[in-house]
Amino acid sequence: MRIGRHRTFISAWVAVKFASDLADHFGYRPGDELSGIVAKLGGRILSQNILDFGKFSSSGSIRIEREGNFEILLASHTGRLRDRFTIAHELGHYFLHFIYARRNGAQIERMEALRYGSGQVEWEANWFAAGFLMPANAFREAHVSLSGSITRVADRFGVSSEAASTHDVGREAVRIMFSHKLSAKLIDQLSLQRL
């Protein structure tokens, strides 16, 4: 199954909160490497030369064979910051569009997210990546302690200045409470104690 055939319609607030909670669950701290988390989940990170994209059946950024067996493909010409966001983005597909979808009745045997995709599922994976790499509370604290310097905030979280500048600092209390309840429900449905 290609990812474009299934839609979860997760809001930005829920995706960010859910990802922040997952990061906490895995003991991730801003700036940490992601390879250990990917390995713990049964995944592998591979590098793919840009000239080889057309030589494969597809140029997917994540290929999921089953829960606990997936590959994240990174372009060999990108840098560390871009790769970190890509890995977190692909983990968003893994959790939101594969595991969560399957545990809620979707008949998905295997899945592949295509590189350069667009649409709602890509937005959801981007929101997830931002929430995972820049958890809301830590981001707010860094934003204040670093006097709003986007460059310094980005450095602290190991993300690009663009990613840091577009991350929402001003969440409303009602949305946070709503997101917290839905995030707790998602985590419960994913049975994280098994991960």
Side-chain angles (χ1 to χ4, degrees):
M1 170 181 187
R2 295 200 187 279
I3 199 162
R5 296 182 188 161
H6 176 74
R7 298 208 176 215
T8 56
F9 296 107
I10 306 265
S11 75
W13 306 108
V14 172
V16 167
K17 176 65 174 139
F18 175 56
S20 293
D21 290 348
L22 275 175
D24 187 54
H25 172 80
F26 287 114
Y28 173 81
R29 297 293 168 247
D32 284 355
E33 289 303 317
L34 300 170
S35 57
I37 293 171
V38 170
K40 183 177 181 177
L41 292 167
R44 296 183 313 150
I45 300 171
L46 306 173
S47 180
Q48 186 177 22
N49 186 306
I50 193 167
L51 299 175
D52 292 333
F53 286 169
K55 294 180 182 177
F56 298 97
S57 60
S58 104
S59 58
S61 292
I62 186 167
R63 295 178 185 153
I64 305 168
E65 293 299 322
R66 65 181 179 281
E67 189 171 330
N69 183 1
F70 63 95
E71 295 177 338
I72 293 174
L73 300 170
L74 299 176
S76 61
H77 66 281
T78 55
R80 179 181 177 271
L81 301 182
R82 179 70 212 154
D83 290 349
R84 287 173 49 74
F85 197 87
T86 298
I87 293 166
H89 174 96
E90 301 311 333
L91 287 175
H93 285 310
Y94 181 70
F95 282 109
L96 297 174
H97 307 128
F98 185 75
I99 293 178
Y100 175 73
R102 284 176 48 106
R103 293 191 185 170
N104 282 281
Q107 300 297 313
I108 305 171
E109 293 302 316
R110 57 184 306 277
M111 189 183 86
E112 186 172 16
L114 297 176
R115 188 178 307 275
Y116 310 119
S118 62
Q120 179 70 25
V121 293
E122 292 303 313
W123 280 103
E124 292 167 1
N126 282 338
W127 297 328
F128 180 96
F132 196 94
L133 296 173
M134 302 174 281
N137 290 336
F139 186 85
R140 265 192 227 100
E141 290 169 11
H143 196 266
V144 170
S145 71
L146 298 172
S147 304
S149 168
I150 292 301
T151 303
R152 291 172 54 203
V153 170
D155 286 346
R156 176 162 301 171
F157 289 93
V159 298
S160 68
S161 293
E162 181 182 3
S165 67
T166 58
H167 195 47
D168 185 23
V169 180
R171 293 179 186 7
E172 299 174 29
V174 173
R175 288 184 176 177
I176 290 172
M177 288 172 36
F178 178 70
S179 296
H180 179 72
K181 289 178 183 176
L182 288 177
S183 176
K185 181 180 176 186
L186 286 172
I187 286 175
D188 183 53
Q189 288 177 342
L190 289 177
S191 303
L192 284 180
Q193 62 276 8
R194 295 185 334 182
L195 298 177

